[in-house]
Amino acid sequence: KEWRLTKGTGIKTVFGEFKNLTDSTEEKDNITLMKLLAPTSIVAAGGESVVDVSWDQSLSRDLIGYNLYRSLVSGSGYELMNRGGPINTTDFKDLNVINGVTYYYVVTVVVTGNNESDLSNEAHATPNKERSVLSKLVISFNELLRAVKGVYQPEPLPFLSL
C-alpha cells in the first residue's frame, strides 16, 4: 500500500501499513497521509472469443502501470494476466477465453517500487459469438475517449460505471 506523506511544500511517498487509518487520508501534526486508491469504473464486455476490459486512469504521480487479474469465480482466485510487467494503458484485450464461460476481473495501480493498490471493484463478462449492443457502445465510447486523449481530458462519467 502506498501512502503519501506531505509536510510543508514537499511530498514524500511512504509505503507500508499504518494503524488506525480508516479513511483515504488522515492529518496529524501538519502531516497528511494519503492512501493509493484502486482504479475505478472497471468495465468488461464480452465478444466472440474475446473480453475487452477497461478502467479509469490513475492520477498517481508515481504510476508505472496496472496489474490485471482474472478469475473463474467471483470474489477470489484471481490470477495475474500481465506476467510481462504492468500494463501501461487503461484497457486490455483478453484473447485467452472460451465462449460461454464467465470471467471476473479486478485491476490494481502499480507505482514506483512495484507497490500495488488494493483491488478495484470487480467486473465480469461472458464471451460469446455476438457482442450485445451495450457492449459495442461501451467499447466504442472507450475507444473514442482514448482517441481524443491529450486534446480533451474528460471527467469520469458515473452513468457508465458498472
Side-chain angles (χ1 to χ4, degrees):
K1 299 184 191 247
E2 173 193 20
W3 299 83
R4 292 189 185 281
L5 177 65
T6 61
K7 186 171 185 173
T9 58
I11 295 178
K12 180 176 180 178
T13 302
V14 179
F15 299 99
E17 297 292 332
F18 294 90
K19 295 181 181 177
N20 303 321
L21 290 178
T22 57
D23 200 353
S24 62
T25 63
E26 181 175 287
E27 188 166 332
K28 184 176 182 182
D29 301 325
N30 289 332
I31 296 174
T32 303
L33 296 174
M34 294 180 289
K35 183 177 181 181
L36 175 63
L37 299 176
T40 57
S41 302
I42 183 171
V43 176
E48 184 174 355
S49 301
V50 65
V51 174
D52 292 300
V53 185
S54 63
W55 54 90
D56 286 348
Q57 182 176 353
S58 170
L59 300 178
S60 176
R61 282 182 254 176
D62 301 325
L63 179 70
I64 293 174
Y66 306 91
N67 281 338
L68 181 68
Y69 297 87
R70 179 182 82 178
S71 178
L72 295 173
V73 180
S74 179
S76 66
Y78 300 113
E79 294 184 15
L80 183 64
M81 296 294 298
N82 50 296
R83 296 189 188 278
I87 301 167
N88 60 10
T89 63
T90 57
D91 61 344
F92 186 88
K93 214 174 255 307
D94 189 357
L95 301 172
N96 190 20
V97 296
I98 299 170
N99 287 340
V101 175
T102 300
Y103 296 90
Y104 300 87
Y105 299 88
V106 293
V107 66
T108 62
V109 170
V110 181
V111 295
T112 305
N114 284 325
N115 290 286
E116 282 186 278
S117 69
D118 291 334
L119 299 175
S120 69
N121 58 314
E122 184 181 79
H124 68 277
T126 306
N128 54 46
K129 283 192 164 202
E130 285 295 321
R131 282 190 180 174
S132 69
V133 172
L134 177 60
S135 67
K136 287 180 182 178
L137 176 63
V138 168
I139 298 305
S140 296
F141 184 73
N142 287 335
E143 288 172 354
L144 174 64
L145 288 178
R146 280 190 297 281
V148 296
K149 185 179 177 186
V151 177
Y152 171 70
Q153 286 290 54
E155 293 295 318
L157 301 174
F159 64 89
L160 285 179
S161 299
L162 299 177

